Amino acid sequence: MKKLFFAFVVVLFTTLAASNELKAQKASNNFLVDAAIVSAGAVSTDANANEIDKAAVNPKAVKHFEKKFKAADAKWMVLKDGFMAQYKHDDIIERVFYNPNGNLAGTLKGYSNNNMPAEIRNEIKYTYRGYAITYVDEASVESVPGITAYIIHLQGINDLKVVRICDGEMDVLFDSEKNAKNPGRF
């Protein structure tokens, strides 16, 4: 199950990193990948993501959202394979994804260095001395409870990196120095 989650997160955030850094390709058929690209703002005008009135959303999703998240000012979007509610609180942008049946699929939070857990921040600052943390994405997938993936966007003097920390493991998803030598990766 962990390997499946890791594979999913790699696909999800490789696409997210590509769209953030390169404003790259359109979404695949995977609902959460589509949602991540939309949330990154790369294809916000795409037909796959149109803001809608919550009355058009599956009532089960709305009921769950209002009970669990209690966000008064959420914007709802219809995606290719479900729905997304987006809201902002305390400088954190949170996106909550539901499948067409109204079941929670996962969440994606976006925030600055100041809002990330101290242990994650310390691990990044130790490993990547001299890099500034510019943005953090925090993903949770409902089908794999208890595991959270952090995607950290870093800026060095002459390069950018996107690093993932998940379940105690760290790996680089994007490195602008390596991608400049091999631009076909994304």
Side-chain angles (χ1 to χ4, degrees), residues 153-165:
H153 303 253
L154 302 168
Q155 183 170 354
I157 294 171
N158 296 316
D159 67 325
L160 302 170
K161 293 186 188 306
V162 178
V163 177
R164 177 185 60 191
I165 296 180

Side-chain angles (χ1 to χ4, degrees), residues 79-186:
L79 303 173
K80 189 175 187 177
D81 293 320
F83 307 97
M84 176 181 75
Q86 177 177 309
Y87 64 98
K88 184 176 181 178
H89 69 92
D90 298 332
D91 295 327
I92 298 172
I93 297 171
E94 184 153 0
R95 295 159 191 100
V96 183
F97 302 99
Y98 293 91
N99 66 23
N101 296 329
N103 297 318
L104 179 64
T107 62
L108 182 65
K109 295 179 185 179
Y111 46 80
S112 69
N113 174 28
N114 300 335
N115 293 314
M116 68 190 297
E119 66 185 45
I120 302 293
R121 182 176 40 254
N122 292 341
E123 188 173 349
I124 289 292
K125 287 191 176 266
Y126 177 79
T127 305
Y128 293 97
R129 290 182 185 97
Y131 282 82
I133 299 170
T134 59
Y135 198 74
V136 179
D137 290 303
E138 178 183 322
S140 299
V141 178
E142 193 63 19
S143 62
V144 188
I147 297 179
T148 301
Y150 297 90
I151 309 302
I152 298 101
H153 303 253
L154 302 168
Q155 183 170 354
I157 294 171
N158 296 316
D159 67 325
L160 302 170
K161 293 186 188 306
V162 178
V163 177
R164 177 185 60 191
I165 296 180
C166 185
D167 205 28
E169 297 180 23
M170 183 186 309
D171 59 334
V172 177
L173 298 178
F174 176 80
D175 184 336
S176 65
E177 287 181 337
K178 289 182 181 176
N179 283 48
K181 297 173 188 168
N182 183 14
R185 179 171 176 216
F186 287 103

Side-chain angles (χ1 to χ4, degrees), residues 1-21:
M1 188 61 109
K2 273 187 185 178
K3 288 184 180 184
L4 179 62
F5 178 73
F6 291 142
F8 172 77
V9 171
V10 166
V11 170
L12 172 68
F13 288 106
T14 299
T15 306
L16 179 61
S19 64
N20 262 348
E21 303 300 333

